[in-house]
């Protein structure tokens, strides 16, 4: 294969990396004055990377001697990642302008671009080395973003916690990779799959367990979820929105590719781990969220809960299951970004962000449109029909039932009822409690527009998109099998 | 013969400087002995034909880590007398660690003598004819080029991150402005006066 063909397949990452470096130079000379220009330009870089997905980057097959695989699965995940990254860039300026402490600096969009580049490498990796380097690129940028508000103690704490626990997770993952490499003699997914197809030695199985433990850490599945609420609460809200969407998609897509592509012949072995992680995440995410008073912590537990539901699709281990995971992620990203866009609008008279659930009281009277949007997101996250979130859960559960995992689906549905309680509590606070002081008016029309788009997407109108989305996720899932 | 001589020379100096690293009273001397130990370990690596690891030892450990150590030791104000007072207290733990290490070495030797672990598949057999620096270079810059470049990006992020988290604009700093210094002419800065006796000077 010629060098140019390899480059053409990795074009999205190339666009992001070169764009980030160029914008870094702009911000180095332009200083803080260039923040606005760099932010706008980086959204365009993300659009450019998405356009670069058309062609060999989404259908080319293996590049760089099997290190990287350009297929429909990676392309689908990348589209979600780029959308979430762009929204995280768009919602940052008004948040940072209002809060005390540090202003937005041009490094913020640049770090998000580099993180998106790392996530693209993660979801397209077909070799353990590529996977690890991509993961580190994403994580390292995320650690810095978590503590971006340097004068805020909670932000610094979030960054430090995320860094220490993330490094631990990387260590666990790397240990698993080294075991798998030692016992299979290769880091290529295809070679690892060959090794698992033969006799599964104890070393190979131990490696599988460690790899899945590391991956569970990155997608914050129980029992490796402890860092999530603290990091989500402490990080600046736009960064939290980013963490809850793009890296989640990337890590889950990466886990799916490792499970199916590299360890497909060992499905019976990893299925037990995935089923346990899925059920534990759903139940703990639902139960622990009940006592939360901070909306960001609530959404953190909600993300743990949702990861559990997405893992049910993976546990099925079929193309339908993987397609269900992608469908779930698509709808989850819309619901989560929408919720966080509403959270960013929560600020008192002095312009300071407020994060308590109590401050939402009576929002239906003071800000009816915003309250309606948040109610739609909450109902949808709870999976109540006819909202689109119901279809997401339906897709993964039907895949699990088809794969014969009937008990798993039953327990999952029962636990989603517990989850509905705390989502509905938010709605009740907004609609039936005595009004708290009204929030300051919305400043950014773009954010209002994004909330409206997300709300329409997860409303029953989203069902119109099912034929398109279903065909697309199915094509993406078929690329793995 | 000459190999055996070289081996015993390097090995003797490694062991000796290792012991002196722990034993010397002055921590700066400790680091110096450590550097000597690294150099001789590099010599041992060359003897077994692992010249790449030898170079890494010298460049990474001596060049960066040991020098960093030296800076830390010299710049931090540590009361070493007080630290030494703890030796007796931690003697038990230290002894336990030493026993554990010795046991591990024994087990490793035992496992090694029973033969290597069976690998399921070996993707890249080692070619004895190619020196290992060349072999690593061949792989690193061709087959693994993509990962190599991505690792470069990781380092870039680390650099950006360090600056984002620590850099701040300081007010009231007297920075050197070279162009202004050069543009300054003698007639701007000096003045010819002829003071009269008893009048004092005008400043």
């Amino acid at each position: 294969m010629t060098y140019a063909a390899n480059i053409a397949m990795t074009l999205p990452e190339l666009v992001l990396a070169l764009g980030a470096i160029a914008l870094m130079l702009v911000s180095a000379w332009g200083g803080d004055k260039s923040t606005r220009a760099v932010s706008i330009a980086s959204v365009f870089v993300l659009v450019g990377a998405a356009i670069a997905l058309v062609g060999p980057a989404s259908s080319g097959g293996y590049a760089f001697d099997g290190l990287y695989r350009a297929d429909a699965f990676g392309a689908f995940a990348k589209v979600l990642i780029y959308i979430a990254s762009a929204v995280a860039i768009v919602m940052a300026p008004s948040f940072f302008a209002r809060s005390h402490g540090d202003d937005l600096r041009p490094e913020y969009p640049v770090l998000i671009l580099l993180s998106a580049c790392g996530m693209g490498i993660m979801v397209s990796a077909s070799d353990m080395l590529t996977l690890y380097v991509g993961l580190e690129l994403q994580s390292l940028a995320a650690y810095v973003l978590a503590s971006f508000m340097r004068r805020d103690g909670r932000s610094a704490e979030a960054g430090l916690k995320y860094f220490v626990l993330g490094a631990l997770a990387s260590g666990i993952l790397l240990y698993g990779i080294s075991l798998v490499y030692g016992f299979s003699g290769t880091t290529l997914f295809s070679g690892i799959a060959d090794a698992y197809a033969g006799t599964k030695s104890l070393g190979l199985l131990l490696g599988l367990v460690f790899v899945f433990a590391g991956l569970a850490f990155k997608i914050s599945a129980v029992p490796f979820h402890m860092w999530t609420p603290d990091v989500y609460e402490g990080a600046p809200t736009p960064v939290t929105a980013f963490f809850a969407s793009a890296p989640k998609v990337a890590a889950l897509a990466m886990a799916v590719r490792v499970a199916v592509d590299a360890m497909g012949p060992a499905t019976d072995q990893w299925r037990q781990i995935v089923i346990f992680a899925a059920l534990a995440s759903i139940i703990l995410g639902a139960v622990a969220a009940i006592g939360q008073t901070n909306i960001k912590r609530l959404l953190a537990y909600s993300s743990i809960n949702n990861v559990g539901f997405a893992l049910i699709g993976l546990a099925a281990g079929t193309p339908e299951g993987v397609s269900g995971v992608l469908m779930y992620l698509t709808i989850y990203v819309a619901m989560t970004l929408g919720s966080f866009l509403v959270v960013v609008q929560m600020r008192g008279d002095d312009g300071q962000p407020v994060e308590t659930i109590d401050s939402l009281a009576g929002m239906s009277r003071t800000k009816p449109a915003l309250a309606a949007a948040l109610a739609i997101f909450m109902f949808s996250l709870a999976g109540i029909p006819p909202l689109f979130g119901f279809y997401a859960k339906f897709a993964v559960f039907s895949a699990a039932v088809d794969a014969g995992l009937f008990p798993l689906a039953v327990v999952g549905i029962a636990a989603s009822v517990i989850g509905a309680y705390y989502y509905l509590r938010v709605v009740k606070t907004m609609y039936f409690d005595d009004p708290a002081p009204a929030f300051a008016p919305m400043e950014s029309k773009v954010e209002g527009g994004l909330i409206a788009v997300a709300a329409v997407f997860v409303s029953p109108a989203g069902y119109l998109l099912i034929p398109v989305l279903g065909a697309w996720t199915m094509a993406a899932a078929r690329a793995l099998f | 013969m000459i190999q055996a001589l070289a081996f015993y020379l390097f090995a003797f100096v490694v062991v000796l400087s290792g012991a002196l690293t722990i034993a010397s009273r002055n921590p700066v001397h400790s680091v110096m002995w450590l550097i000597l130990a690294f150099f001789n370990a590099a010599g041992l690596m060359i003897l077994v034909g692992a010249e790449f690891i030898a170079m890494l030892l010298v460049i990474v450990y001596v060049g960066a880590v040991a020098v960093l150590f030296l800076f830390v030791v010299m710049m931090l104000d540590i009361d070493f007398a007080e630290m030494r007072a703890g030796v007796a207290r931690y003697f038990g733990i230290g002894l336990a660690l030493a026993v554990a290490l010795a046991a591990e070495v024994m087990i490793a030797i035992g496992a090694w003598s029973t033969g290597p672990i069976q690998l399921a598949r070996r993707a890249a057999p080692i070619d004895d004819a190619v020196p290992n620096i060349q072999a690593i270079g061949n792989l690193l810059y061709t087959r693994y080029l993509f990962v190599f470049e991505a690792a470069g990006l990781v380092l870039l992020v680390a650099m950006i991150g360090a600056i984002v988290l620590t850099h701040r604009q300081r007010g009231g700093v007297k920075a050197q402005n070279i162009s202004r210094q050069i543009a300054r002419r003698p007639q701007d800065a000096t003045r010819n006066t002829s003071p009269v006796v008893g009048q004092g000077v005008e400043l």
Side-chain angles (χ1 to χ4, degrees), chain B residues 162-184:
Chain B
I163 294 171
V164 165
L165 293 181
T166 57
H167 176 75
R168 62 195 162 94
Q169 223 74 46
R170 267 171 244 254
V173 180
K174 291 189 172 152
Q176 187 181 21
N177 187 341
I178 295 175
S179 55
R180 248 187 77 200
Q181 279 180 339
I182 295 172
R184 199 173 189 209

Side-chain angles (χ1 to χ4, degrees), chain A residues 111-123:
Chain A
L111 283 170
I112 291 212
L113 284 186
L114 286 166
S115 188
C117 177
M119 288 185 267
I121 295 173
M122 273 161 74
V123 297

Side-chain angles (χ1 to χ4, degrees), chain B residues 6 9-11 13-14 17-18 31-47 53-64 66-67:
Chain B
L9 174 72
F10 287 137
V13 180
V14 169
S17 46
V31 178
M32 292 297 182
W33 286 117
L34 193 66
I35 292 174
L36 187 62
F38 283 145
F39 265 114
N40 285 280
L44 285 175
M45 289 296 170
I46 287 181
L47 282 183
I53 296 180
M55 293 306 137
L56 275 191
L57 261 179
V58 172
I59 295 169
V60 176
Y61 279 92
V62 178
V67 171

Side-chain angles (χ1 to χ4, degrees), chain A residues 18-37:
Chain A
L18 292 179
I21 292 169
L23 291 176
M24 192 70 239
L25 290 176
V26 171
S27 62
W29 266 281
D32 289 357
K33 294 187 294 295
S34 62
T35 306
R36 197 180 151 77

